[in-house]
Amino acid sequence: MKLLSTYFSMVIMQIITPANAEFITITKNNHKYDVSAQFETFADICSTWDQITDYEDLPSFMPNLVTSETLRKSGNKKVVRQVYLVKIFLFLFKLENKFLITEHFSKKKINIQQISGDLMDYSATWKLFKKKEKTVINLSASITPTQFQMILLSKNKIDERFKTMTNALIKRLDSIDKSDGC
């Protein structure tokens, strides 16, 4: 049961991977999966930043995310706890993860590092930049499951979860009111 929970925790834990991705690439190196994605939204860069960094609001539109709360803030660093409910066949699994998130507002960059959870390691970097009337989001993530978890994982399963999350994020970003600028 914990093994299946870990798989879904891994692919859901980075909640904000967008959907009209120009590309999502997943490579496996030894026991680690590297994910790269690039996607665009019609939302301006400030609205995109505000939505992505509003951790408490993420459950309102992200599939399977039940709770997302900021536990601590110190300058540009936050510790965020997220709880997911994932249904696998007839079973529901509750997953809890904590992340250290460092926001670099002036660079429109977010670094995420797993503090606790079922994986050996998880980290990600988000970068936003303006391109004409759109915002481009680059995401790179590194996921290291345990040896036992590797049995359940495949590139296709990870790709499927990232696409589900990206669809939810793009839909949300393209529907929000735009800001006047940062």
Side-chain angles (χ1 to χ4, degrees):
M1 184 160 127
K2 185 170 179 154
L3 181 62
L4 292 174
S5 297
T6 299
Y7 163 71
F8 283 96
S9 173
M10 176 190 72
V11 295
I12 296 172
M13 95 173 58
Q14 198 53 58
I15 306 291
I16 359 185
T17 310
N20 283 351
E22 291 179 14
F23 72 85
I24 296 177
T25 305
I26 300 169
T27 57
K28 182 180 174 188
N29 297 313
N30 294 323
H31 302 293
K32 179 174 73 169
Y33 288 93
D34 293 314
V35 179
S36 295
Q38 182 179 50
F39 48 90
E40 297 178 351
T41 178
F42 290 106
D44 62 78
I45 197 165
C46 293
S47 298
T48 301
W49 177 269
D50 290 345
Q51 189 65 60
I52 289 173
T53 59
D54 186 356
Y55 308 108
E56 283 74 16
D57 187 49
L58 295 176
S60 73
F61 66 93
M62 293 307 298
N64 304 319
L65 183 59
V66 176
T67 302
S68 182
E69 63 181 326
T70 302
L71 300 176
R72 286 191 303 272
K73 295 179 189 178
S74 179
N76 67 333
K77 296 181 185 288
K78 297 177 181 175
V79 174
V80 175
R81 175 184 163 263
Q82 295 179 332
V83 177
Y84 311 87
L85 259 185
V86 179
K87 186 174 183 179
I88 304 171
F89 303 112
L90 299 175
F91 303 101
L92 278 178
F93 297 94
K94 181 179 176 182
L95 310 170
E96 183 177 330
N97 301 285
K98 289 183 185 175
F99 305 100
L100 173 62
I101 300 174
T102 307
E103 300 172 350
H104 305 279
F105 178 76
S106 63
K107 296 178 183 179
K108 300 298 183 278
K109 179 180 173 183
I110 304 166
N111 294 323
I112 302 166
Q113 180 64 53
Q114 177 184 325
I115 298 172
S116 63
D118 294 326
L119 297 171
M120 296 272 296
D121 190 40
Y122 180 90
S123 61
T125 300
W126 290 77
K127 295 179 185 176
L128 286 63
F129 61 93
K130 187 174 180 166
K131 178 181 171 185
K132 297 183 182 180
E133 298 298 316
K134 295 182 180 180
T135 298
V136 177
I137 304 167
N138 286 325
L139 166 66
S140 59
S142 180
I143 304 161
T144 307
T146 65
Q147 291 280 346
F148 188 65
Q149 294 164 349
M150 292 295 294
I151 297 168
L152 296 178
L153 296 178
S154 72
K155 287 188 215 179
N156 290 340
K157 288 180 182 179
I158 292 172
D159 185 60
E160 179 182 313
R161 288 318 260 160
F162 269 80
K163 285 180 180 174
T164 298
M165 290 184 295
T166 59
N167 284 327
L169 181 61
I170 290 296
K171 181 177 178 183
R172 175 60 167 223
L173 288 172
D174 286 345
S175 72
I176 60 176
D177 291 331
K178 312 304 183 244
S179 71
D180 294 329
C182 299

